[in-house]
Every structure is written in structure tokens, then in C-alpha cells.
Amino acid sequence: MPDIIKRTTLIVRNIDQAAAWYENVLGMTKWMDVPFTLSGNQLATGKKGDQTRLTIMKAQDDVIGMIGLLEWVDPKREDAPADLPTEIPFGAPIFVVAAEDCRATVERARAAGSRIHSEPLDWSVTGADGKVKDMVGASFWDLDGYFYEVNQLVRVHG
């Protein structure tokens, strides 16, 4: 049986603002919100004894597609860049979202303070099944500089 990637955890500056963004823009709900102390072993960041807070945002499925938000409480992290990215650097994730209404998702992101990279546009792609799919797509950054590609399936040909 293959392993399952169930969650991606993102380091954020302000967990309450980040959680509100995921609730308001992507419709996720708060599944868990706990403080914990780092062991100094498992994560390749922080030090033993660092006090953190982890909020896990639930998408449609409560096993996969979750987003973890991790904030350093004590000591506070000072390494967040002053300016958020305008390009996707090597090693950075690209999150892909299947939206029911791409244009509405972009408007929610804009209202929540996201920088929009690409306004909604119509495009087509040939899927793994060989069928052409008409899509509406857009992209933007969240409040901490993570990049989101949002796609809405409009029609499948054939």
C-alpha cells in the first residue's frame, strides 16, 4: 500500500490571520488548534524547546488535502521576508485548487489581501484520459507568500 500525503504544513507569520484567509478564501474549516513544544529532532527548523502553535485547516476530506499552519510563539521567528515573493522560487510549492467558481475565489482572495498574479482566464488542457477539458484559471499568493493556482472545470469534450 503506498504512503498517503495527507497534509502540507506552512510556516506563517500570524496564525489567526492565516486561518481566516483559508476560511474566507478557500472555505476550509479549523480542524485542530494546539500549542506544542518542538523536540528539536523531527523538524529541520527551530530548536528544542521552541513554543509553537499548529492550526490544521480541513478541506473537503478530513484525511487528505489538509493545510497545517505553524507559527512560532516563543521565540518569535524573525526570518520572514519583509517583501513577499513576486515569483515562485525553486523549492517552493505550487498549490492547485479545484474551484467551483474560479472568479468568485479570486474575488475572495483579493478582498482578503492577496496579491493576484493572474486574473481568471479561459484555457483548455488535454487530461490524462485524452479528453480536452475547458477550464477557467487564475493564480495568487496567500498572505505569507505561498502560491495558489485555482482552476474551474467548465466542460469535458468527448
Side-chain angles (χ1 to χ4, degrees), residues 4-129:
I4 296 171
I5 297 174
K6 62 181 201 170
R7 180 180 80 234
T8 300
T9 300
L10 309 174
I11 296 173
V12 298
R13 303 166 212 243
N14 182 304
I15 208 162
D16 293 318
Q17 289 177 356
W21 187 92
Y22 284 89
E23 288 171 339
N24 296 328
V25 175
L26 300 181
M28 299 177 89
T29 57
K30 201 177 282 187
W31 184 73
M32 184 175 95
D33 190 352
V34 296
F36 72 91
T37 303
L38 293 185
S39 69
N41 296 319
Q42 194 168 0
L43 288 181
T45 186
K47 297 183 296 297
K48 181 178 182 174
D50 284 0
Q51 301 297 309
T52 65
R53 180 176 165 200
L54 175 67
T55 298
I56 298 178
M57 304 301 295
K58 179 182 174 297
Q60 186 174 7
D61 190 290
D62 61 359
V63 175
I64 62 170
M66 308 271 260
I67 297 283
L69 305 172
L70 182 63
E71 179 184 10
W72 262 248
V73 176
D74 187 25
K76 293 295 274 182
R77 285 189 71 144
E78 302 296 331
D79 61 347
D83 296 320
L84 294 180
T86 57
E87 293 183 345
I88 304 165
F90 185 86
I94 299 171
F95 294 92
V96 180
V97 176
E100 288 188 25
D101 184 341
C102 180
R103 288 175 175 82
T105 301
V106 169
E107 288 312 310
R108 290 192 305 270
R110 188 185 326 276
S114 292
R115 192 169 61 70
I116 308 303
H117 176 72
S118 173
E119 296 290 341
L121 56 95
D122 298 326
W123 63 287
S124 296
V125 64
T126 301
D129 60 2

